[in-house]
Structures are given as C-alpha cells and as structure tokens.
PDB file of all heavy atoms in Angstrom:
ATOM      1  N   GLN A   1       3.356   6.831 -16.903  1.00 60.00           N
ATOM      2  CA  GLN A   1       1.896   6.787 -16.950  1.00 60.00           C
ATOM      3  C   GLN A   1       1.318   7.917 -16.102  1.00 60.00           C
ATOM      4  O   GLN A   1       0.716   7.686 -15.064  1.00 60.00           O
ATOM      5  CB  GLN A   1       1.369   5.442 -16.432  1.00 60.00           C
ATOM      6  CG  GLN A   1       1.789   4.254 -17.262  1.00 60.00           C
ATOM      7  CD  GLN A   1       1.175   2.976 -16.713  1.00 60.00           C
ATOM      8  OE1 GLN A   1       0.011   2.939 -16.342  1.00 60.00           O
ATOM      9  NE2 GLN A   1       1.968   1.925 -16.655  1.00 60.00           N
ATOM     10  N   LYS A   2       1.527   9.133 -16.516  1.00 62.00           N
ATOM     11  CA  LYS A   2       1.023  10.266 -15.746  1.00 62.00           C
ATOM     12  C   LYS A   2      -0.431  10.518 -16.144  1.00 62.00           C
ATOM     13  O   LYS A   2      -0.768  11.464 -16.839  1.00 62.00           O
ATOM     14  CB  LYS A   2       1.874  11.505 -15.984  1.00 62.00           C
ATOM     15  CG  LYS A   2       1.636  12.591 -14.943  1.00 62.00           C
ATOM     16  CD  LYS A   2       2.724  13.630 -14.981  1.00 62.00           C
ATOM     17  CE  LYS A   2       2.544  14.620 -13.835  1.00 62.00           C
ATOM     18  NZ  LYS A   2       3.599  15.630 -13.804  1.00 62.00           N
ATOM     19  N   ASN A   3      -1.298   9.626 -15.686  1.00 69.00           N
ATOM     20  CA  ASN A   3      -2.715   9.673 -16.016  1.00 69.00           C
ATOM     21  C   ASN A   3      -3.479   8.926 -14.934  1.00 69.00           C
ATOM     22  O   ASN A   3      -2.892   8.478 -13.940  1.00 69.00           O
ATOM     23  CB  ASN A   3      -2.957   9.055 -17.399  1.00 69.00           C
ATOM     24  CG  ASN A   3      -2.305   7.687 -17.529  1.00 69.00           C
ATOM     25  OD1 ASN A   3      -2.266   6.916 -16.569  1.00 69.00           O
ATOM     26  ND2 ASN A   3      -1.765   7.399 -18.705  1.00 69.00           N
ATOM     27  N   ASP A   4      -4.797   8.788 -15.108  1.00 78.00           N
ATOM     28  CA  ASP A   4      -5.605   8.119 -14.092  1.00 78.00           C
ATOM     29  C   ASP A   4      -5.158   6.680 -13.865  1.00 78.00           C
ATOM     30  O   ASP A   4      -5.119   6.201 -12.732  1.00 78.00           O
ATOM     31  CB  ASP A   4      -7.079   8.145 -14.498  1.00 78.00           C
ATOM     32  CG  ASP A   4      -7.683   9.534 -14.377  1.00 78.00           C
ATOM     33  OD1 ASP A   4      -7.043  10.396 -13.740  1.00 78.00           O
ATOM     34  OD2 ASP A   4      -8.780   9.757 -14.905  1.00 78.00           O
ATOM     35  N   ALA A   5      -4.806   6.004 -14.955  1.00 80.00           N
ATOM     36  CA  ALA A   5      -4.353   4.621 -14.819  1.00 80.00           C
ATOM     37  C   ALA A   5      -3.071   4.556 -13.996  1.00 80.00           C
ATOM     38  O   ALA A   5      -2.880   3.647 -13.180  1.00 80.00           O
ATOM     39  CB  ALA A   5      -4.146   4.000 -16.189  1.00 80.00           C
ATOM     40  N   GLY A   6      -2.195   5.532 -14.198  1.00 75.00           N
ATOM     41  CA  GLY A   6      -0.962   5.576 -13.428  1.00 75.00           C
ATOM     42  C   GLY A   6      -1.224   5.809 -11.954  1.00 75.00           C
ATOM     43  O   GLY A   6      -0.611   5.179 -11.088  1.00 75.00           O
ATOM     44  N   LEU A   7      -2.131   6.708 -11.649  1.00 80.00           N
ATOM     45  CA  LEU A   7      -2.484   6.974 -10.250  1.00 80.00           C
ATOM     46  C   LEU A   7      -3.057   5.727  -9.591  1.00 80.00           C
ATOM     47  O   LEU A   7      -2.723   5.390  -8.450  1.00 80.00           O
ATOM     48  CB  LEU A   7      -3.508   8.112 -10.181  1.00 80.00           C
ATOM     49  CG  LEU A   7      -3.004   9.520 -10.507  1.00 80.00           C
ATOM     50  CD1 LEU A   7      -4.176  10.486 -10.644  1.00 80.00           C
ATOM     51  CD2 LEU A   7      -2.062  10.017  -9.429  1.00 80.00           C
ATOM     52  N   GLN A   8      -3.941   5.044 -10.282  1.00 84.00           N
ATOM     53  CA  GLN A   8      -4.554   3.830  -9.725  1.00 84.00           C
ATOM     54  C   GLN A   8      -3.507   2.742  -9.515  1.00 84.00           C
ATOM     55  O   GLN A   8      -3.536   2.025  -8.503  1.00 84.00           O
ATOM     56  CB  GLN A   8      -5.673   3.354 -10.652  1.00 84.00           C
ATOM     57  CG  GLN A   8      -6.850   4.316 -10.696  1.00 84.00           C
ATOM     58  CD  GLN A   8      -7.787   4.047 -11.854  1.00 84.00           C
ATOM     59  OE1 GLN A   8      -7.707   2.996 -12.501  1.00 84.00           O
ATOM     60  NE2 GLN A   8      -8.678   4.984 -12.130  1.00 84.00           N
ATOM     61  N   LEU A   9      -2.574   2.634 -10.465  1.00 81.00           N
ATOM     62  CA  LEU A   9      -1.489   1.669 -10.305  1.00 81.00           C
ATOM     63  C   LEU A   9      -0.676   1.979  -9.064  1.00 81.00           C
ATOM     64  O   LEU A   9      -0.322   1.076  -8.293  1.00 81.00           O
ATOM     65  CB  LEU A   9      -0.587   1.702 -11.546  1.00 81.00           C
ATOM     66  CG  LEU A   9       0.733   0.908 -11.443  1.00 81.00           C
ATOM     67  CD1 LEU A   9       0.457  -0.579 -11.297  1.00 81.00           C
ATOM     68  CD2 LEU A   9       1.616   1.180 -12.654  1.00 81.00           C
ATOM     69  N   ASN A  10      -0.371   3.256  -8.849  1.00 79.00           N
ATOM     70  CA  ASN A  10       0.404   3.653  -7.673  1.00 79.00           C
ATOM     71  C   ASN A  10      -0.262   3.183  -6.396  1.00 79.00           C
ATOM     72  O   ASN A  10       0.372   2.588  -5.514  1.00 79.00           O
ATOM     73  CB  ASN A  10       0.543   5.177  -7.619  1.00 79.00           C
ATOM     74  CG  ASN A  10       1.292   5.737  -8.799  1.00 79.00           C
ATOM     75  OD1 ASN A  10       1.994   5.020  -9.494  1.00 79.00           O
ATOM     76  ND2 ASN A  10       1.136   7.021  -9.024  1.00 79.00           N
ATOM     77  N   VAL A  11      -1.563   3.479  -6.265  1.00 85.00           N
ATOM     78  CA  VAL A  11      -2.273   3.142  -5.036  1.00 85.00           C
ATOM     79  C   VAL A  11      -2.312   1.633  -4.832  1.00 85.00           C
ATOM     80  O   VAL A  11      -2.034   1.132  -3.730  1.00 85.00           O
ATOM     81  CB  VAL A  11      -3.698   3.736  -5.073  1.00 85.00           C
ATOM     82  CG1 VAL A  11      -4.529   3.216  -3.905  1.00 85.00           C
ATOM     83  CG2 VAL A  11      -3.643   5.265  -5.037  1.00 85.00           C
ATOM     84  N   LYS A  12      -2.620   0.885  -5.865  1.00 87.00           N
ATOM     85  CA  LYS A  12      -2.726  -0.571  -5.723  1.00 87.00           C
ATOM     86  C   LYS A  12      -1.384  -1.189  -5.347  1.00 87.00           C
ATOM     87  O   LYS A  12      -1.310  -2.060  -4.472  1.00 87.00           O
ATOM     88  CB  LYS A  12      -3.241  -1.176  -7.030  1.00 87.00           C
ATOM     89  CG  LYS A  12      -4.709  -0.854  -7.310  1.00 87.00           C
ATOM     90  CD  LYS A  12      -5.167  -1.459  -8.636  1.00 87.00           C
ATOM     91  CE  LYS A  12      -6.627  -1.138  -8.908  1.00 87.00           C
ATOM     92  NZ  LYS A  12      -7.088  -1.719 -10.197  1.00 87.00           N
ATOM     93  N   ARG A  13      -0.302  -0.747  -6.021  1.00 83.00           N
ATOM     94  CA  ARG A  13       1.000  -1.317  -5.722  1.00 83.00           C
ATOM     95  C   ARG A  13       1.454  -0.981  -4.302  1.00 83.00           C
ATOM     96  O   ARG A  13       2.023  -1.820  -3.604  1.00 83.00           O
ATOM     97  CB  ARG A  13       2.043  -0.799  -6.729  1.00 83.00           C
ATOM     98  CG  ARG A  13       2.018  -1.520  -8.064  1.00 83.00           C
ATOM     99  CD  ARG A  13       2.544  -2.950  -7.953  1.00 83.00           C
ATOM    100  NE  ARG A  13       3.873  -3.016  -7.391  1.00 83.00           N
ATOM    101  CZ  ARG A  13       5.000  -2.841  -8.088  1.00 83.00           C
ATOM    102  NH1 ARG A  13       4.943  -2.601  -9.373  1.00 83.00           N
ATOM    103  NH2 ARG A  13       6.163  -2.920  -7.509  1.00 83.00           N
ATOM    104  N   TYR A  14       1.193   0.233  -3.868  1.00 84.00           N
ATOM    105  CA  TYR A  14       1.609   0.600  -2.517  1.00 84.00           C
ATOM    106  C   TYR A  14       0.811  -0.154  -1.456  1.00 84.00           C
ATOM    107  O   TYR A  14       1.341  -0.499  -0.402  1.00 84.00           O
ATOM    108  CB  TYR A  14       1.507   2.115  -2.303  1.00 84.00           C
ATOM    109  CG  TYR A  14       2.815   2.808  -2.560  1.00 84.00           C
ATOM    110  CD1 TYR A  14       3.057   3.457  -3.765  1.00 84.00           C
ATOM    111  CD2 TYR A  14       3.826   2.802  -1.614  1.00 84.00           C
ATOM    112  CE1 TYR A  14       4.268   4.086  -4.005  1.00 84.00           C
ATOM    113  CE2 TYR A  14       5.041   3.425  -1.842  1.00 84.00           C
ATOM    114  CZ  TYR A  14       5.251   4.067  -3.043  1.00 84.00           C
ATOM    115  OH  TYR A  14       6.456   4.671  -3.277  1.00 84.00           O
ATOM    116  N   VAL A  15      -0.457  -0.411  -1.722  1.00 89.00           N
ATOM    117  CA  VAL A  15      -1.227  -1.210  -0.766  1.00 89.00           C
ATOM    118  C   VAL A  15      -0.677  -2.628  -0.698  1.00 89.00           C
ATOM    119  O   VAL A  15      -0.531  -3.204   0.389  1.00 89.00           O
ATOM    120  CB  VAL A  15      -2.729  -1.212  -1.144  1.00 89.00           C
ATOM    121  CG1 VAL A  15      -3.485  -2.224  -0.285  1.00 89.00           C
ATOM    122  CG2 VAL A  15      -3.323   0.176  -0.958  1.00 89.00           C
ATOM    123  N   GLU A  16      -0.352  -3.210  -1.832  1.00 89.00           N
ATOM    124  CA  GLU A  16       0.248  -4.551  -1.846  1.00 89.00           C
ATOM    125  C   GLU A  16       1.557  -4.571  -1.043  1.00 89.00           C
ATOM    126  O   GLU A  16       1.839  -5.505  -0.291  1.00 89.00           O
ATOM    127  CB  GLU A  16       0.520  -4.985  -3.281  1.00 89.00           C
ATOM    128  CG  GLU A  16      -0.728  -5.261  -4.104  1.00 89.00           C
ATOM    129  CD  GLU A  16      -0.400  -5.515  -5.566  1.00 89.00           C
ATOM    130  OE1 GLU A  16       0.806  -5.527  -5.910  1.00 89.00           O
ATOM    131  OE2 GLU A  16      -1.342  -5.698  -6.367  1.00 89.00           O
ATOM    132  N   PHE A  17       2.331  -3.516  -1.218  1.00 86.00           N
ATOM    133  CA  PHE A  17       3.608  -3.409  -0.523  1.00 86.00           C
ATOM    134  C   PHE A  17       3.419  -3.243   0.980  1.00 86.00           C
ATOM    135  O   PHE A  17       4.151  -3.817   1.792  1.00 86.00           O
ATOM    136  CB  PHE A  17       4.385  -2.235  -1.125  1.00 86.00           C
ATOM    137  CG  PHE A  17       5.631  -1.860  -0.369  1.00 86.00           C
ATOM    138  CD1 PHE A  17       6.678  -2.752  -0.235  1.00 86.00           C
ATOM    139  CD2 PHE A  17       5.766  -0.605   0.189  1.00 86.00           C
ATOM    140  CE1 PHE A  17       7.837  -2.412   0.438  1.00 86.00           C
ATOM    141  CE2 PHE A  17       6.913  -0.253   0.867  1.00 86.00           C
ATOM    142  CZ  PHE A  17       7.954  -1.157   0.996  1.00 86.00           C
ATOM    143  N   PHE A  18       2.408  -2.449   1.349  1.00 89.00           N
ATOM    144  CA  PHE A  18       2.175  -2.104   2.754  1.00 89.00           C
ATOM    145  C   PHE A  18       1.495  -3.228   3.519  1.00 89.00           C
ATOM    146  O   PHE A  18       1.670  -3.356   4.732  1.00 89.00           O
ATOM    147  CB  PHE A  18       1.311  -0.840   2.785  1.00 89.00           C
ATOM    148  CG  PHE A  18       0.906  -0.372   4.154  1.00 89.00           C
ATOM    149  CD1 PHE A  18       1.847  -0.120   5.135  1.00 89.00           C
ATOM    150  CD2 PHE A  18      -0.431  -0.152   4.458  1.00 89.00           C
ATOM    151  CE1 PHE A  18       1.478   0.338   6.389  1.00 89.00           C
ATOM    152  CE2 PHE A  18      -0.809   0.299   5.706  1.00 89.00           C
ATOM    153  CZ  PHE A  18       0.144   0.548   6.680  1.00 89.00           C
ATOM    154  N   ALA A  19       0.702  -4.055   2.849  1.00 92.00           N
ATOM    155  CA  ALA A  19      -0.162  -5.021   3.527  1.00 92.00           C
ATOM    156  C   ALA A  19       0.583  -5.920   4.515  1.00 92.00           C
ATOM    157  O   ALA A  19       0.156  -6.045   5.677  1.00 92.00           O
ATOM    158  CB  ALA A  19      -0.926  -5.851   2.494  1.00 92.00           C
ATOM    159  N   PRO A  20       1.682  -6.561   4.143  1.00 93.00           N
ATOM    160  CA  PRO A  20       2.357  -7.448   5.113  1.00 93.00           C
ATOM    161  C   PRO A  20       2.856  -6.701   6.341  1.00 93.00           C
ATOM    162  O   PRO A  20       2.770  -7.210   7.467  1.00 93.00           O
ATOM    163  CB  PRO A  20       3.526  -8.034   4.303  1.00 93.00           C
ATOM    164  CG  PRO A  20       3.138  -7.872   2.886  1.00 93.00           C
ATOM    165  CD  PRO A  20       2.342  -6.614   2.824  1.00 93.00           C
ATOM    166  N   LEU A  21       3.367  -5.492   6.143  1.00 91.00           N
ATOM    167  CA  LEU A  21       3.856  -4.698   7.266  1.00 91.00           C
ATOM    168  C   LEU A  21       2.702  -4.314   8.191  1.00 91.00           C
ATOM    169  O   LEU A  21       2.810  -4.423   9.420  1.00 91.00           O
ATOM    170  CB  LEU A  21       4.565  -3.447   6.752  1.00 91.00           C
ATOM    171  CG  LEU A  21       5.068  -2.463   7.809  1.00 91.00           C
ATOM    172  CD1 LEU A  21       6.071  -3.111   8.744  1.00 91.00           C
ATOM    173  CD2 LEU A  21       5.676  -1.234   7.143  1.00 91.00           C
ATOM    174  N   ALA A  22       1.596  -3.843   7.616  1.00 92.00           N
ATOM    175  CA  ALA A  22       0.448  -3.432   8.418  1.00 92.00           C
ATOM    176  C   ALA A  22      -0.079  -4.592   9.260  1.00 92.00           C
ATOM    177  O   ALA A  22      -0.396  -4.432  10.450  1.00 92.00           O
ATOM    178  CB  ALA A  22      -0.651  -2.905   7.500  1.00 92.00           C
ATOM    179  N   LYS A  23      -0.152  -5.769   8.670  1.00 93.00           N
ATOM    180  CA  LYS A  23      -0.674  -6.931   9.403  1.00 93.00           C
ATOM    181  C   LYS A  23       0.225  -7.292  10.575  1.00 93.00           C
ATOM    182  O   LYS A  23      -0.252  -7.632  11.665  1.00 93.00           O
ATOM    183  CB  LYS A  23      -0.809  -8.113   8.442  1.00 93.00           C
ATOM    184  CG  LYS A  23      -1.895  -7.939   7.394  1.00 93.00           C
ATOM    185  CD  LYS A  23      -1.886  -9.086   6.401  1.00 93.00           C
ATOM    186  CE  LYS A  23      -2.912  -8.877   5.296  1.00 93.00           C
ATOM    187  NZ  LYS A  23      -2.854  -9.952   4.278  1.00 93.00           N
ATOM    188  N   LYS A  24       1.525  -7.213  10.374  1.00 93.00           N
ATOM    189  CA  LYS A  24       2.456  -7.552  11.457  1.00 93.00           C
ATOM    190  C   LYS A  24       2.380  -6.537  12.596  1.00 93.00           C
ATOM    191  O   LYS A  24       2.435  -6.893  13.775  1.00 93.00           O
ATOM    192  CB  LYS A  24       3.875  -7.658  10.912  1.00 93.00           C
ATOM    193  CG  LYS A  24       4.095  -8.842   9.975  1.00 93.00           C
ATOM    194  CD  LYS A  24       5.502  -8.872   9.422  1.00 93.00           C
ATOM    195  CE  LYS A  24       5.655  -9.990   8.375  1.00 93.00           C
ATOM    196  NZ  LYS A  24       5.468 -11.331   8.968  1.00 93.00           N
ATOM    197  N   LEU A  25       2.252  -5.268  12.250  1.00 91.00           N
ATOM    198  CA  LEU A  25       2.157  -4.243  13.286  1.00 91.00           C
ATOM    199  C   LEU A  25       0.849  -4.357  14.067  1.00 91.00           C
ATOM    200  O   LEU A  25       0.825  -4.184  15.287  1.00 91.00           O
ATOM    201  CB  LEU A  25       2.292  -2.852  12.654  1.00 91.00           C
ATOM    202  CG  LEU A  25       3.687  -2.499  12.129  1.00 91.00           C
ATOM    203  CD1 LEU A  25       3.662  -1.163  11.386  1.00 91.00           C
ATOM    204  CD2 LEU A  25       4.714  -2.461  13.259  1.00 91.00           C
ATOM    205  N   LYS A  26      -0.257  -4.608  13.369  1.00 90.00           N
ATOM    206  CA  LYS A  26      -1.535  -4.758  14.066  1.00 90.00           C
ATOM    207  C   LYS A  26      -1.497  -5.984  14.973  1.00 90.00           C
ATOM    208  O   LYS A  26      -2.026  -5.963  16.086  1.00 90.00           O
ATOM    209  CB  LYS A  26      -2.685  -4.884  13.064  1.00 90.00           C
ATOM    210  CG  LYS A  26      -3.070  -3.598  12.374  1.00 90.00           C
ATOM    211  CD  LYS A  26      -3.375  -2.452  13.336  1.00 90.00           C
ATOM    212  CE  LYS A  26      -4.616  -2.698  14.178  1.00 90.00           C
ATOM    213  NZ  LYS A  26      -4.892  -1.540  15.075  1.00 90.00           N
ATOM    214  N   ALA A  27      -0.879  -7.060  14.510  1.00 91.00           N
ATOM    215  CA  ALA A  27      -0.774  -8.268  15.330  1.00 91.00           C
ATOM    216  C   ALA A  27       0.028  -8.008  16.604  1.00 91.00           C
ATOM    217  O   ALA A  27      -0.179  -8.668  17.628  1.00 91.00           O
ATOM    218  CB  ALA A  27      -0.130  -9.399  14.524  1.00 91.00           C
ATOM    219  N   ALA A  28       0.931  -7.028  16.528  1.00 89.00           N
ATOM    220  CA  ALA A  28       1.733  -6.660  17.700  1.00 89.00           C
ATOM    221  C   ALA A  28       1.036  -5.611  18.564  1.00 89.00           C
ATOM    222  O   ALA A  28       1.619  -5.113  19.527  1.00 89.00           O
ATOM    223  CB  ALA A  28       3.092  -6.143  17.251  1.00 89.00           C
ATOM    224  N   GLY A  29      -0.188  -5.262  18.207  1.00 87.00           N
ATOM    225  CA  GLY A  29      -0.961  -4.307  19.006  1.00 87.00           C
ATOM    226  C   GLY A  29      -0.640  -2.858  18.745  1.00 87.00           C
ATOM    227  O   GLY A  29      -0.964  -1.992  19.569  1.00 87.00           O
ATOM    228  N   LYS A  30      -0.032  -2.554  17.599  1.00 87.00           N
ATOM    229  CA  LYS A  30       0.345  -1.179  17.293  1.00 87.00           C
ATOM    230  C   LYS A  30      -0.821  -0.410  16.671  1.00 87.00           C
ATOM    231  O   LYS A  30      -1.674  -0.970  15.988  1.00 87.00           O
ATOM    232  CB  LYS A  30       1.538  -1.153  16.335  1.00 87.00           C
ATOM    233  CG  LYS A  30       2.786  -1.810  16.898  1.00 87.00           C
ATOM    234  CD  LYS A  30       3.228  -1.143  18.185  1.00 87.00           C
ATOM    235  CE  LYS A  30       4.406  -1.838  18.808  1.00 87.00           C
ATOM    236  NZ  LYS A  30       4.777  -1.243  20.113  1.00 87.00           N
ATOM    237  N   THR A  31      -0.819   0.907  16.913  1.00 87.00           N
ATOM    238  CA  THR A  31      -1.757   1.818  16.264  1.00 87.00           C
ATOM    239  C   THR A  31      -1.114   2.291  14.970  1.00 87.00           C
ATOM    240  O   THR A  31       0.003   2.807  14.989  1.00 87.00           O
ATOM    241  CB  THR A  31      -2.058   3.028  17.167  1.00 87.00           C
ATOM    242  OG1 THR A  31      -2.617   2.555  18.385  1.00 87.00           O
ATOM    243  CG2 THR A  31      -3.033   3.984  16.496  1.00 87.00           C
ATOM    244  N   ILE A  32      -1.803   2.107  13.852  1.00 88.00           N
ATOM    245  CA  ILE A  32      -1.169   2.426  12.579  1.00 88.00           C
ATOM    246  C   ILE A  32      -2.106   3.216  11.674  1.00 88.00           C
ATOM    247  O   ILE A  32      -3.331   3.197  11.815  1.00 88.00           O
ATOM    248  CB  ILE A  32      -0.704   1.158  11.832  1.00 88.00           C
ATOM    249  CG1 ILE A  32      -1.899   0.256  11.498  1.00 88.00           C
ATOM    250  CG2 ILE A  32       0.344   0.411  12.627  1.00 88.00           C
ATOM    251  CD1 ILE A  32      -1.555  -0.862  10.539  1.00 88.00           C
TER     252      ILE A  32
END
C-alpha cells in the first residue's frame, strides 16, 4: 500500500504498538 492510506496505516499501527511502552516509561518518570 504505497499510498496515503498506507502511510496512515503505518502511523496508526506504530502508535498502537508504542502506546503500552510509552505509558510504562512515563509512569517510571522517564523523559520520552
């Protein structure tokens, strides 16, 4: 999907993937 829909999919999926990690690091007082 090398198009706008593909780009949007990339961003959404990576945010979903990153969210649990980001929350745990912030809870530990980390700068992220």
Side-chain angles (χ1 to χ4, degrees):
Q1 297 182 42
K2 196 165 186 178
N3 50 36
D4 288 346
L7 289 170
Q8 293 165 13
L9 171 65
N10 298 342
V11 171
K12 290 179 180 180
R13 280 289 304 277
Y14 265 100
V15 171
E16 291 173 3
F17 171 62
F18 177 55
L21 177 60
K23 291 175 184 177
K24 292 178 186 296
L25 290 174
K26 286 306 294 181
K30 299 301 176 184
T31 300
I32 62 169

